[in-house]
Amino acid sequence: CHSCWGKIFNVFISQHFKGAQILPLVIAHTTPQAVAAVIDHIVSKVQEKLLFVLSSDLSQFHNQDMAQKLDA
């Protein structure tokens, strides 16, 4: 279920990384350099351990029928 992925991910992170905070970012139609710049900015401002999980599969933001077409 594409629409459930975010919820499942949040539960996984919260159970395995107690006290973790999640900052969801939707990044589309940009360059790897722009993404790196955002990550560098976040790293420069946060003094705690960070884990970045990046995905280029944005089909979870569509309804099930459209997501299946895009994934095919």
Side-chain angles (χ1 to χ4, degrees):
C1 169
H2 286 278
S3 62
C4 301
W5 186 89
K7 293 175 187 173
I8 293 168
F9 179 77
N10 289 347
V11 169
F12 174 83
I13 293 296
S14 65
Q15 288 182 351
H16 293 282
F17 301 94
K18 301 293 184 200
Q21 296 181 4
I22 298 170
L23 172 64
L25 299 173
V26 177
I27 301 172
H29 307 293
T30 191
T31 65
Q33 294 82 7
V35 175
V38 170
I39 291 172
D40 288 344
H41 178 75
I42 293 169
V43 168
S44 74
K45 300 295 181 189
V46 177
Q47 300 300 316
E48 300 175 24
K49 292 181 182 179
L50 298 172
L51 169 66
F52 289 90
V53 179
L54 301 148
S55 173
S56 61
D57 178 11
L58 299 177
S59 63
Q60 66 264 22
F61 295 103
H62 299 283
N63 65 38
Q64 188 68 25
D65 291 335
M66 179 58 77
Q68 288 175 339
K69 289 176 186 175
L70 291 171
D71 286 345

